[in-house]
């Protein structure tokens, strides 16, 4: 199976780009990584011919030293003879080693190698994944087009908001708040990631009351905003909650990716018949050190291949530690195809301190209206009421797009 | 439900200990964390009474400044007025906010807070989890006693080894290697975490051939070493592979925790009737920076409550970046009860460059023989053959225990 229209993707090999820092020779460090993650052994074995090695070994495709430093980024590395080198590098593995299995891809490209003594820093920057993975996994069921169709919003972003406080509202208080947002003309509402099925706000009751308000609203006004209700839980809980949401006419479910994990989401995706709004809470522990962990470019591909439809990317001028440049790169990445024949593009979700003020710069940098733009305080706290807050953001987008 | 025999565990609250670094006042940083992870809102709401706040808010239980520094550990924090303070702190949440749900526990104690601008470092050090979680999840099905019973090994560690090279052996080569290890008197063999169901070494054929050798060995010698075969994959694959292993008389399955994730493992555990050998590959990206991510003490509790039976802890003098002190703390943690009425203790697995040389220090520091001690080169590469390698390690343990 080839993916010839997608330049740079080898149909037979998995490629991973890394940023590494090492006290040893960069070539030696990369050989250690390749050995650890493929044909490493204790002693040469009789069966281990050069042909076998060549067939299964991870390969160092290329590297480039980008910086030298005297201070290691992470503890535990070997003592350097001559400082530390920071390099960008690409390793590749034969698809044959694991087959098109995402959990085993993760063990291969992001397994034991972060702990190697030859490294004082390691971050996975990007992945190029053979097309066979596209056949093995569902991919987004709705993506941009399906989300627009269900929400009834074309040619502009979905304007969204968030249920706050994070916890503490009863189901009926949540439903009242949601109704006031529907009435304000919102396109999209998400639950907080902390509220799934707490005893003080049980899932079933919240779903019934909010989706009843949604039904009333759609019968009256002929529009149905999307409510991304947080179904995060064990697998049977998520499936049951999904079915209830579908039955009650809901059009979206929200899942915390790092709480659920890869295999849980793969299995849930098989069952799911609604768009999956993917929350990335916990992303900080995977990414906040620049020489450790995951870049968003690599990490998001896993979830898109599994089949989420919306993916959080933070927002410009956010309340968190992420730079605007990083936010825009993440959002652009969500809209860039993974496979030529199956793009798996998803809607980036902008959030955290977003108001009308960030709209012009967001549009200018992203160059697309295929996004969900969620605002909290700017809508809930607008002095003329939430409808005015929603209108302000919609007009800001119209103005930005018309130049 | 109370757990009175377990001092320090509040039956109604979840507690998390953190190491944090902040450019602002430590108390303010902790309030920001507590607000972000519980009752945070945009604007005061009419419904938000002090009683409500008190009921649902995360609480700062205590903190202690342990160090001051001029250089931030992580980028993206606010500019400091007066350097950075490193503190140990405890937050707590009402169990009522989430109920006994592990995925929602993770979103609560380890969600968005790692990205806060008020922090230039955050690591979760430990968790104290109410007993209700013990009823909601299965816990270890075999643990130490069940593993000993199946392996037929009492009063000493299980001596184990690893199939190497990581990848490249065919199923029949794997079976031959495994047979030579059975004949050498090994108690335990694990697959490499890179080998699950690659096209060059298909799972089913490997299981059939290795477990056939195991059956022959046990019929001849009346002992059945444990083979932790790597079943990592999608949920249906893991369940099917488990059933095949069970049918063929196997007594253990191995899973890569970070590849599978929490919900996948919870669901697999419901199905599983064999000990789960839990591999922690990828642990480095969660833990290698001392002021980011997870400590093993916190992380391992999640998986023990779900129900793994063996958990990798690295080894003394290992080839990786981890210190001996950290290894021993991790191993001791595995043997310390989580709940008084349901200890969920699991067998720590020592690996990475282990030989007879590390045995005395390992026993002295751990004070227990309830562990799996896996050696690679020291067994496969022993000059007098693998049986001599196994004997050497067994004698080293006898000597260590008898003093």
């Amino acid at each position: 199976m080839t993916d010839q229209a997608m330049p740079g993707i080898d149909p037979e090999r998995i490629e991973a780009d890394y940023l590494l820092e090492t006290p040893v020779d960069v070539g030696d460090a990369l050989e250690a990584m390749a050995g650890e993650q493929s044909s490493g052994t204790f002693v040469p074995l009789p069966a281990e011919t050069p042909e076998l090695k060549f067939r299964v070994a991870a390969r160092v495709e290329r590297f480039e030293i980008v910086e030298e430093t005297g201070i290691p980024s992470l503890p535990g590395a070997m003592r350097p003879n001559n400082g530390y080198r920071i390099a960008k590098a690409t390793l590749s593995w034969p698809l044959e080693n694991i087959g098109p299995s995402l959990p085993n891809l993760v063990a291969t490209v992001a397994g034991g190698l972060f702990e190697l003594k030859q490294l004082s820093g390691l971050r996975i920057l990007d992945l190029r994944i053979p097309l066979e993975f596209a056949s093995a996994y569902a991919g987004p069921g709705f993506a941009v087009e399906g989300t627009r169709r269900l929400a009834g919003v074309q040619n502009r972003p979905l304007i969204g908001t968030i249920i706050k406080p994070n916890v503490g509202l009863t189901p009926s208080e949540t439903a009242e708040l949601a109704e006031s947002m529907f009435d304000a003309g919102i396109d999209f509402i998400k639950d907080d990631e902390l509220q799934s099925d707490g005893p003080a706000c049980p899932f079933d009751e919240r779903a019934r009351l909010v989706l009843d308000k949604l039904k009333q609203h759609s019968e009256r006004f002929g529009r149905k905003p999307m409510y991304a209700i947080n179904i995060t839980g064990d697998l049977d809980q998520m499936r049951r909650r999904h079915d209830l949401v579908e039955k009650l006419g809901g059009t979206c479910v929200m899942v915390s990716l790092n709480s659920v994990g890869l295999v849980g989401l793969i299995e849930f995706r098989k069952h799911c018949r609604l768009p999956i709004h993917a929350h990335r809470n916990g992303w900080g522990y995977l990414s906040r050190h620049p020489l450790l962990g995951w870049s968003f470019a690599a990490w998001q591909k896993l979830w898109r291949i599994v089949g989420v439809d919306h993916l959080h990317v933070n927002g410009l001028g956010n309340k968190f530690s992420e730079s605007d440049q990083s936010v825009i790169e993440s959002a652009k990445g969500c809209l860039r195809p993974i496979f030529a024949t199956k793009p798996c593009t998803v809607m980036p979700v902008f959030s955290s301190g977003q108001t009308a003020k960030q709209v012009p710069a967001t549009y200018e940098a992203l160059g697309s209206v295929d996004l969900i733009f969620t605002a909290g305080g700017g809508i809930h706290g607008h002095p003329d009421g939430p409808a005015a807050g929603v209108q302000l953001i919609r007009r800001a987008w119209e103005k930005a797009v018309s130049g």
Side-chain angles (χ1 to χ4, degrees), chain A:
Chain A
M1 198 162 31
T2 58
D3 194 22
Q4 289 168 342
M6 204 65 193
I9 293 199
D10 184 329
E12 304 294 345
R13 293 186 83 81
I14 296 152
E15 283 197 0
D17 300 332
Y18 298 94
L19 186 68
L20 64 131
E21 186 188 278
T22 178
V24 306
D25 176 78
V26 173
D28 292 347
L30 288 164
E31 288 302 335
M33 288 168 65
E36 178 69 19
Q37 293 306 103
S38 68
S39 53
T41 184
F42 313 111
V43 284
L45 293 173
E48 206 184 19
T49 62
E51 290 72 28
L52 174 87
K53 270 265 190 198
F54 181 78
R55 192 162 55 78
V56 302
R59 211 156 67 194
V60 179
E61 296 287 344
R62 53 192 166 270
F63 72 87
E64 176 198 1
I65 297 174
V66 293
E67 205 184 321
E68 311 223 356
T69 175
I71 300 165
S73 291
L74 302 173
M78 291 168 178
R79 293 175 70 99
N81 281 327
N82 180 25
Y84 300 84
R85 281 146 294 284
I86 299 176
K88 286 187 176 178
T90 299
L91 296 189
S92 75
W93 288 261
L95 173 58
E96 191 195 17
N97 283 20
I98 57 168
S101 165
L102 284 174
N104 289 297
L105 174 80
V106 169
T108 298
V109 302
L113 71 179
F114 291 86
E115 291 173 70
L116 286 172
K117 265 186 182 154
Q118 288 91 339
L119 300 174
S120 54
L122 184 67
R123 185 172 177 91
I124 182 164
L125 295 181
D126 207 349
L127 287 170
R128 282 171 297 284
I129 298 171
L131 184 59
E132 273 196 46
F133 282 80
S135 312
Y137 294 95
F142 293 83
V144 178
E145 296 69 25
T147 297
R148 289 196 173 287
R149 180 171 37 79
L150 287 175
V153 175
Q154 302 297 338
N155 306 315
R156 62 172 178 82
L158 272 65
I159 312 298
T161 193
I162 307 151
I163 301 283
K164 290 261 172 179
N166 322 36
V167 290
L169 296 177
T170 63
S172 67
E173 286 165 349
T174 307
E176 275 168 46
L177 186 62
E179 185 181 34
S180 72
M181 294 296 128
F182 300 149
D183 291 344
I186 206 84
D187 303 315
F188 182 93
I189 301 179
K190 66 170 278 288
D191 271 352
D192 196 88
E193 73 267 20
L194 297 171
Q195 187 55 270
S196 175
D197 188 34
C201 188
F203 181 89
D204 287 12
E205 200 186 340
R206 184 167 85 254
R208 276 181 221 287
L209 294 179
V210 176
L211 293 172
D212 187 52
K213 298 286 188 193
L214 185 63
K215 195 174 165 222
Q216 290 170 28
H217 184 88
S218 76
E219 284 169 0
R220 239 154 96 202
F221 300 101
R223 61 185 289 282
K224 194 184 225 179
M226 197 168 253
Y227 172 43
I229 184 165
N230 184 4
I231 64 165
T232 301
D234 300 348
L235 187 63
D236 53 349
Q237 293 169 337
M238 292 201 295
R239 285 192 292 225
R240 200 188 48 71
R241 289 171 193 161
H242 165 279
D243 293 352
L244 179 65
V245 170
E246 188 188 35
K247 193 182 128 201
L248 296 170
T251 56
C252 191
V253 291
M254 171 171 137
V255 172
S256 288
L257 298 182
N258 291 313
S259 297
V260 168
L262 202 48
V263 166
L265 197 80
I266 290 166
E267 193 65 17
F268 174 70
R269 175 66 187 87
K270 291 181 186 169
H271 180 84
C272 186
R273 297 174 297 270
L274 297 171
I276 300 173
H277 185 81
H279 203 292
R280 69 174 192 180
N281 64 82
W283 172 239
Y285 66 70
L286 293 172
S287 67
R288 191 161 164 191
H289 192 288
L291 261 155
L292 183 62
W294 289 79
S295 75
F296 193 75
W299 184 80
Q300 48 98 339
K301 287 186 181 169
L302 305 173
W303 305 103
R304 288 169 57 191
I305 292 172
V306 174
V308 304
D309 297 283
H310 315 151
L311 197 44
H312 277 241
V313 297
N314 213 338
L316 299 192
N318 61 75
K319 68 177 174 184
F320 293 116
S321 55
E322 191 177 0
S323 71
D324 288 354
Q325 190 199 343
S326 167
V327 170
I328 290 296
E329 272 172 30
S330 296
K332 283 186 172 172
C334 290
L335 295 169
R336 205 175 289 136
I338 298 180
F339 310 107
T341 49
K342 188 179 180 188
C344 297
T345 42
V346 297
M347 238 166 171
V349 182
F350 284 72
S351 66
S352 175
Q354 300 302 287
T355 67
K357 282 185 200 151
Q358 284 102 323
V359 168
T362 302
Y363 181 67
E364 196 191 334
L366 188 64
S368 172
V369 293
D370 288 338
L371 70 148
I372 300 175
F373 189 84
T374 64
I379 292 177
H380 291 271
H382 192 282
D384 300 330
V390 173
Q391 274 309 312
L392 191 68
I393 293 172
R394 278 187 63 164
R395 277 201 302 270
W397 275 99
E398 284 162 16
K399 222 173 126 184
V401 171
S402 67

